[in-house]
């Protein structure tokens, strides 16, 4: 009789099955508005991200053929497994938007039920759906149907929060509605919408959900170091971890975390490699959206890349004014 491995015996770095999609490992990059463009995703993949996702894309904009949406949909050249994340409040619009993803051949479609930003929430989308679980269920059903009809039945996944506020913690109900309507993975950012990104994530919610669902549960919230990821996997029993702010300017967190999980130790990336990676990202972004816009976009990224390095504050004072690749080269000359 074959003996099944207990959760305690499973290696912390392990493969994940998302419906029909098999992933080598369980270190995911979260979709983060304003950061998760394909240039950034590509460097995260080079450092070991196993699964990546576009930043949230408006279903309404997509069915209006928004040119901005078209750029956000593009796969990175090294992206073998990526999800496209949609947000919206109308099941029919979400269905129509999902149908339009066929030319991009995503490996999965993710539904945003977690974004706390007012301009998303006021439309009834993002974490506002935590207040309308029946509607959320209809949206998951609609996107699942579109996947079946036009996308080769790729997996549909969801990203939720713990609830709208502390008085309405309902992640269990949201997750159950998602799975009942076809979702094959649930990522839980263990904060309420009222918290935004403040306070602490309640990892007990992740552990609770992981113990209840038959589909993989991905943990998100307060993952800023390899040690955080190791602790979340051990304490919650989640199938995978999803880095968000912890990966900003720090794509190295994937390689460092894998090393820690597999060997018990890791080597922090030296400052020159950090800066060179940021510069690689800048050049890729410039190829996508043009030098001027890329240089402005990368200011915030380089503020993250230079965090914690000697002389970083002085560098940041110059970087926030950089307008051209040549200026970046001049400012960062000691590292390039």
């Amino acid at each position: 009789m074959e003996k099944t491995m207990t959760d305690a015996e499973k290696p912390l770095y392990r493969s994940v099955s998302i419906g029909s999609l098999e992933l080598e490992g369980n270190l995911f990059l979260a979709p983060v508005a304003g950061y998760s463009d394909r240039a950034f995703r590509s460097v995260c993949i080079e450092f070991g991200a196993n699964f990546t996702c576009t930043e949230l894309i408006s279903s309404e904009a997509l069915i209006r053929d928004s040119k901005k949406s078209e750029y956000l949909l593009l796969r990175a050249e090294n992206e073998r497994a990526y999800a496209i994340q949609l947000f919206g409040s109308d099941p029919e619009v979400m269905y129509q938007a999902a149908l339009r993803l066929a030319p991009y051949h995503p490996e999965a479609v993710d539904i945003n039920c977690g974004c706390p930003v007012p301009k998303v929430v006021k439309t009834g989308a993002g974490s506002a759906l935590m207040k309308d679980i029946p509607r959320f269920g209809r949206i998951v059903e609609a996107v699942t149907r579109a996947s079946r009809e036009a996308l080769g039945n790729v997996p549909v996944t969801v990203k939720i929060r713990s609830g709208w506020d502390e008085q309405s913690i309902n992640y269990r109900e949201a997750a159950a509605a998602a799975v009942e309507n076809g979702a094959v993975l649930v990522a839980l950012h263990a904060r309420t919408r009222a918290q935004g990104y403040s306070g602490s994530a309640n990892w007990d919610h992740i552990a609770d959900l992981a113990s209840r669902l038959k589909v993989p549960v991905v943990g998100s919230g307060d993952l800023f170091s390899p040690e955080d990821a190791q602790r979340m996997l051990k304490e919650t029993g989640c199938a995978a971890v999803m880095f968000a702010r912890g990966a900003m300017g720090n794509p190295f967190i994937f390689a460092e975390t894998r090393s820690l999980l597999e060997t018990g130790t890791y080597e922090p990336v030296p400052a020159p490699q950090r800066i060179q990676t940021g510069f690689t990202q800048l050049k890729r972004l410039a190829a996508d959206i043009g030098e001027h816009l890329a240089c402005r976009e990368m200011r915030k990224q380089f503020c993250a890349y230079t965090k914690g390095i000697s002389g970083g504050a002085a560098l940041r004072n110059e970087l926030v004014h950089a307008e051209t690749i040549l200026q970046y080269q001049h400012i960062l000359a000691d590292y390039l």
Side-chain angles (χ1 to χ4, degrees), residues 121-191:
V121 170
K122 74 180 182 184
T123 68
S127 53
L129 289 171
M130 297 300 295
K131 296 196 292 184
D132 193 344
I133 301 302
R135 179 186 291 268
F136 177 49
R138 292 195 297 274
I139 285 172
V140 177
E141 186 282 325
V143 174
T144 302
R145 182 160 32 94
S147 172
R148 193 167 57 244
E149 292 174 6
L151 306 177
N153 203 27
V154 299
V156 173
T157 65
V158 300
K159 191 164 189 285
I160 65 173
R161 282 193 171 233
S162 291
W164 179 257
D165 55 29
E166 286 301 323
Q167 287 68 51
S168 55
I169 301 295
N170 62 345
Y171 62 88
R172 291 179 187 170
E173 293 84 346
V179 174
E180 284 167 15
N181 285 283
V184 293
L185 175 144
V186 177
L188 174 60
H189 181 169
R191 281 184 171 87

Side-chain angles (χ1 to χ4, degrees), residues 212-272:
R212 291 171 179 274
L213 292 191
K214 289 186 166 60
V215 302
V217 170
V218 181
S220 176
D222 294 345
L223 294 172
F224 295 103
S225 70
E227 290 83 1
D228 291 337
Q230 182 183 55
R231 189 164 61 84
M232 180 182 277
L233 287 164
K234 282 182 175 178
E235 291 182 4
T236 71
C238 61
V241 291
M242 183 174 273
F243 295 101
R245 290 175 295 159
M248 300 301 107
N250 188 26
F252 324 104
I253 200 167
F254 296 98
E256 291 171 353
T257 300
R258 179 171 179 176
S259 178
L260 179 66
L261 298 182
E262 292 189 321
T263 71
T265 186
Y266 66 94
E267 287 291 325
V269 172

